[in-house]
Tab-separated table of all heavy atoms in Angstrom:
chain	number	residue	atom	x	y	z
L	103	ASN	N	-15.664	20.862	24.070
L	103	ASN	CA	-14.831	21.083	25.285
L	103	ASN	C	-15.005	19.912	26.342
L	103	ASN	O	-14.113	19.465	26.997
L	103	ASN	CB	-15.152	22.397	25.921
L	103	ASN	CG	-14.819	23.542	25.003
L	103	ASN	OD1	-13.813	23.500	24.227
L	103	ASN	ND2	-15.560	24.662	25.106
L	104	THR	N	-16.292	19.479	26.435
L	104	THR	CA	-16.585	18.398	27.355
L	104	THR	C	-15.877	17.109	26.938
L	104	THR	O	-15.251	16.400	27.780
L	104	THR	CB	-18.115	18.109	27.430
L	104	THR	OG1	-18.794	19.328	27.832
L	104	THR	CG2	-18.413	17.084	28.402
L	105	LEU	N	-15.935	16.803	25.635
L	105	LEU	CA	-15.223	15.653	25.114
L	105	LEU	C	-13.732	15.700	25.316
L	105	LEU	O	-13.116	14.689	25.676
L	105	LEU	CB	-15.584	15.406	23.635
L	105	LEU	CG	-14.936	14.202	22.962
L	105	LEU	CD1	-15.484	12.952	23.657
L	105	LEU	CD2	-15.330	14.145	21.484
L	106	CYS	N	-13.187	16.906	25.074
L	106	CYS	CA	-11.714	17.095	25.267
L	106	CYS	C	-11.346	16.876	26.727
L	106	CYS	O	-10.242	16.311	27.034
L	106	CYS	CB	-11.327	18.507	24.742
L	106	CYS	SG	-11.378	18.778	23.051
L	107	SER	N	-12.201	17.359	27.645
L	107	SER	CA	-11.875	17.148	29.063
L	107	SER	C	-11.889	15.663	29.402
L	107	SER	O	-11.006	15.217	30.191
L	107	SER	CB	-12.952	17.911	29.869
L	107	SER	OG	-12.788	17.669	31.270
L	108	LYS	N	-12.787	14.911	28.875
L	108	LYS	CA	-12.869	13.500	29.174
L	108	LYS	C	-11.674	12.749	28.606
L	108	LYS	O	-11.088	11.877	29.243
L	108	LYS	CB	-14.197	12.906	28.658
L	108	LYS	CG	-15.448	13.379	29.399
L	108	LYS	CD	-16.655	12.693	28.817
L	108	LYS	CE	-17.896	13.121	29.590
L	108	LYS	NZ	-17.874	12.611	30.937
L	109	ILE	N	-11.283	13.192	27.353
L	109	ILE	CA	-10.109	12.546	26.721
L	109	ILE	C	-8.853	12.831	27.514
L	109	ILE	O	-7.968	11.972	27.706
L	109	ILE	CB	-10.027	12.982	25.303
L	109	ILE	CG1	-11.185	12.420	24.450
L	109	ILE	CG2	-8.684	12.562	24.648
L	109	ILE	CD1	-11.229	12.920	23.040
L	110	SER	N	-8.683	14.077	27.973
L	110	SER	CA	-7.489	14.470	28.661
L	110	SER	C	-7.277	13.759	29.983
L	110	SER	O	-6.146	13.658	30.504
L	110	SER	CB	-7.484	15.991	28.943
L	110	SER	OG	-8.541	16.328	29.810
L	111	LYS	N	-8.327	13.179	30.564
L	111	LYS	CA	-8.205	12.419	31.816
L	111	LYS	C	-7.750	11.011	31.630
L	111	LYS	O	-7.487	10.300	32.608
L	111	LYS	CB	-9.574	12.443	32.546
L	111	LYS	CG	-10.015	13.838	33.013
L	111	LYS	CD	-11.393	13.805	33.667
L	111	LYS	CE	-11.807	15.201	34.085
L	111	LYS	NZ	-13.184	15.159	34.693
L	112	ILE	N	-7.667	10.547	30.406
L	112	ILE	CA	-7.196	9.146	30.140
L	112	ILE	C	-5.781	9.133	29.814
L	112	ILE	O	-5.275	9.750	28.871
L	112	ILE	CB	-8.028	8.534	28.913
L	112	ILE	CG1	-9.526	8.584	29.248
L	112	ILE	CG2	-7.531	7.175	28.620
L	112	ILE	CD1	-10.396	8.074	28.074
L	113	ASP	N	-4.949	8.442	30.663
L	113	ASP	CA	-3.538	8.335	30.435
L	113	ASP	C	-3.149	6.842	30.138
L	113	ASP	O	-4.034	6.054	29.976
L	113	ASP	CB	-2.747	8.907	31.626
L	113	ASP	CG	-3.156	8.176	32.928
L	113	ASP	OD1	-3.697	7.093	32.865
L	113	ASP	OD2	-2.888	8.785	33.961
L	114	VAL	N	-1.851	6.575	30.137
L	114	VAL	CA	-1.425	5.287	29.752
L	114	VAL	C	-1.856	4.145	30.744
L	114	VAL	O	-1.969	3.021	30.402
L	114	VAL	CB	0.151	5.241	29.620
L	114	VAL	CG1	0.793	5.454	30.968
L	114	VAL	CG2	0.592	3.966	28.966
L	115	LYS	N	-2.121	4.620	31.957
L	115	LYS	CA	-2.587	3.649	32.969
L	115	LYS	C	-4.100	3.411	32.897
L	115	LYS	O	-4.615	2.506	33.636
L	115	LYS	CB	-2.261	4.180	34.414
L	115	LYS	CG	-0.687	4.291	34.611
L	115	LYS	CD	-0.437	4.821	36.009
L	115	LYS	CE	1.093	4.942	36.280
L	115	LYS	NZ	1.374	5.484	37.665
L	116	LYS	N	-4.831	4.158	32.098
L	116	LYS	CA	-6.223	4.022	31.971
L	116	LYS	C	-6.723	3.705	30.613
L	116	LYS	O	-7.794	4.111	30.205
L	116	LYS	CB	-6.916	5.333	32.505
L	116	LYS	CG	-6.630	5.719	33.930
L	116	LYS	CD	-7.313	6.983	34.337
L	116	LYS	CE	-7.043	7.385	35.751
L	116	LYS	NZ	-7.683	8.672	36.121
L	117	THR	N	-5.897	2.966	29.860
L	117	THR	CA	-6.249	2.671	28.449
L	117	THR	C	-7.428	1.697	28.420
L	117	THR	O	-8.023	1.522	27.379
L	117	THR	CB	-5.076	2.062	27.726
L	117	THR	OG1	-4.536	0.933	28.418
L	117	THR	CG2	-3.976	3.112	27.515
L	118	GLY	N	-7.706	1.025	29.529
L	118	GLY	CA	-8.904	0.194	29.526
L	118	GLY	C	-10.201	0.963	29.762
L	118	GLY	O	-11.302	0.371	29.569
L	119	GLN	N	-10.149	2.249	30.024
L	119	GLN	CA	-11.286	3.070	30.262
L	119	GLN	C	-11.867	3.507	28.919
L	119	GLN	O	-11.118	3.670	27.942
L	119	GLN	CB	-10.910	4.289	31.027
L	119	GLN	CG	-12.051	5.249	31.396
L	119	GLN	CD	-11.601	6.415	32.247
L	119	GLN	OE1	-10.566	6.331	32.871
L	119	GLN	NE2	-12.402	7.491	32.288
Side-chain angles (χ1 to χ4, degrees):
N103 296 329
T104 302
L105 182 61
C106 290
S107 176
K108 291 181 177 294
I109 291 175
S110 64
K111 294 179 181 178
I112 299 176
D113 56 21
V114 68
K115 296 180 180 179
K116 299 179 181 178
T117 54
Q119 183 178 341

